[in-house]
Amino acid sequence: YTLYTSLDREYQRWVERRLRQSMALGGVVTALDPRSGRILALASYNKHPEEPEAFFWKAYPAASLFKVVTAAAVLEEGVLEPTSVMAYTGRNHTLYRRDLKQKVYPWSNRVTLRKAFALSVNPVFGKIGIHSLGRQILREYGAAFFFGQALPSEVPFETSHLQVPEDSIGIAEIASGFNRNTVLTALHAAWIGALIVSDGSAPVPWLVESAQRTHGEEVYRHQEGIPIRVLSPGTAEEMQDLMESTIRYGTCHKSFRPRQRVRRLRSVVFGGKTGNINNRKDTIKYDWFLGYGRDTANGHQIALSVMMIHGRLLGHRANVVAFDVFNV
């Protein structure tokens, strides 16, 4: 058979070259068209091919990317709004039992949900998981986002996994992404970005446009799929608010700041979420970016995920690679 794929060949080659320049142990990039589900780039890289670490079909610890699901759930349920103010104690990236109580102290920090998302504040999302959502709602929204079930795509990849425990600290760890048990594939992550930028629904990703036998007989052609709705348009718009705040002043602020100097990017609005976590031996760091770009001038959109694997020395971070992949 001869397969004709959806990949943009020039873009795919550029992404592969950018990954080789990353100085990381490995990395995966997935880019797709949110409206059609067409996969534009699907690239993986390993610094040592004989000991590969990164595969586009493999699921890796999702870390704080799961805050996207938690935030979407609490917004869709109408419990909070982007401007809702939350009080918390502790540091942004720690999660201790003492910081998960409802009690507000004079020294408590106060932050809006928008800012807590942009800065990836673990105690806030841990408290949301325990006190605003609970185990059952987290499980339901995880399933709605296709954790624990295969996304009906033609591309073979591992199923993203979610298991919400019954104890409160376990719920907090899941809701904030402060665990290694929730795993996600790069393709799935890009699809989540696609449904958020596309008003809460997106078609499944696809790679094969057509297939022909050696004598030219066409035996397969891609049929446009029906978008899968996960969120209401209103909640998707609120999630765009949160994700675009991540770019403006959150964890992606520095890496996306050069966009102001690129004329053709001035009409593009970017949204994103970062996440990172070490393996149990502290020998590898999994480093994520999930997001999108939408051009307000011509309506073009692209959804993107980047997952970099670092050793003791950090290579280029996922949000830095993401900006370069957007800026092609």
Side-chain angles (χ1 to χ4, degrees):
Y1 296 95
T2 300
L3 299 181
Y4 296 89
T5 76
S6 63
L7 298 176
D8 182 316
R9 293 185 181 183
E10 183 177 352
Y11 187 43
Q12 173 79 11
R13 285 194 293 267
W14 192 95
V15 170
E16 291 173 346
R17 185 166 63 250
R18 180 63 183 87
L19 283 174
R20 289 194 298 269
Q21 298 168 350
S22 66
M23 296 187 290
L25 292 182
V28 181
V29 171
T30 303
L32 56 87
D33 180 343
R35 293 197 174 103
S36 67
R38 176 191 174 191
I39 298 174
L40 303 171
L42 186 64
S44 59
Y45 159 75
N46 288 289
K47 184 176 181 179
H48 305 293
E50 69 279 4
E51 297 179 2
E53 297 280 357
F55 303 93
F56 73 81
W57 63 83
K58 186 172 174 58
Y60 297 90
S64 286
L65 292 196
F66 196 78
K67 287 186 175 76
V68 172
V69 178
T70 304
V74 80
L75 291 170
E76 185 85 343
E77 292 294 310
V79 179
L80 296 175
E81 299 176 351
T83 55
S84 298
V85 176
M86 306 282 291
Y88 73 98
T89 58
R91 297 181 179 181
N92 287 2
H93 305 307
T94 59
L95 193 69
Y96 298 111
R97 189 181 299 274
R98 64 176 180 268
D99 298 324
L100 298 174
K101 298 178 181 179
Q102 281 285 64
K103 188 174 181 179
V104 178
Y105 302 96
W107 58 86
S108 294
N109 302 300
R110 287 170 174 79
V111 67
T112 62
L113 177 62
R114 177 187 295 126
K115 191 170 185 179
F117 184 92
L119 299 177
S120 204
V121 181
N122 283 337
V124 168
F125 279 84
K127 292 173 71 172
I128 288 172
I130 296 171
H131 306 294
S132 300
L133 296 175
R135 180 174 184 256
Q136 185 58 34
I137 293 179
L138 278 174
R139 290 177 62 188
E140 290 173 1
Y141 277 87
F145 275 86
F146 280 87
F147 281 84
Q149 56 180 324
L151 189 66
S153 171
E154 65 184 12
V155 184
F157 59 96
E158 291 183 358
T159 299
S160 301
H161 179 71
L162 170 69
Q163 185 173 359
V164 186
E166 296 183 2
D167 62 293
S168 60
I169 187 67
I171 292 171
E173 289 174 347
I174 294 296
S176 63
F178 196 75
N179 72 93
R180 300 180 184 89
N181 298 323
T182 303
V183 295
L184 178 69
T185 65
L187 183 60
H188 190 176
W191 181 76
I192 291 174
L195 70 88
I196 289 173
V197 74
S198 298
D199 298 325
S201 67
V204 297
W206 58 275
L207 180 65
V208 179
E209 185 172 14
S210 65
Q212 295 180 359
R213 296 186 187 276
T214 52
H215 51 75
E217 178 191 0
E218 185 173 271
V219 295
Y220 172 82
R221 176 163 292 276
H222 170 73
Q223 301 291 326
E224 183 174 348
I226 299 174
I228 300 172
R229 178 158 297 282
V230 177
L231 301 173
S232 66
T235 297
E237 184 176 355
E238 291 178 318
M239 285 300 303
Q240 292 169 23
D241 179 355
L242 269 56
M243 294 182 71
E244 289 160 20
S245 297
T246 302
I247 304 295
R248 289 196 304 272
Y249 59 81
T251 56
C252 290
H253 172 65
K254 290 183 179 179
S255 58
F256 277 73
R257 188 161 48 192
R259 75 187 187 279
Q260 300 299 335
R261 300 195 295 268
V262 183
R263 178 174 296 181
R264 59 191 171 83
L265 294 183
R266 291 175 185 170
S267 61
V268 180
V269 176
F270 294 105
K273 183 72 191 78
T274 60
N276 63 83
I277 195 166
N278 291 356
N279 67 353
R280 296 186 187 281
K281 296 181 179 179
D282 277 338
T283 56
I284 286 178
K285 179 184 288 293
Y286 302 103
D287 177 27
W288 283 96
F289 173 90
L290 173 163
Y292 58 82
R294 53 185 178 89
D295 195 327
T296 58
N298 56 30
H300 292 169
Q301 299 177 351
I302 187 170
L304 179 70
S305 73
V306 179
M307 195 282 298
M308 305 302 296
I309 296 179
H310 308 282
R312 292 184 178 180
L313 297 177
L314 293 179
H316 297 174
R317 300 300 299 266
N319 53 8
V320 174
V321 175
F323 175 75
D324 291 343
V325 173
F326 278 129
N327 184 24
V328 177

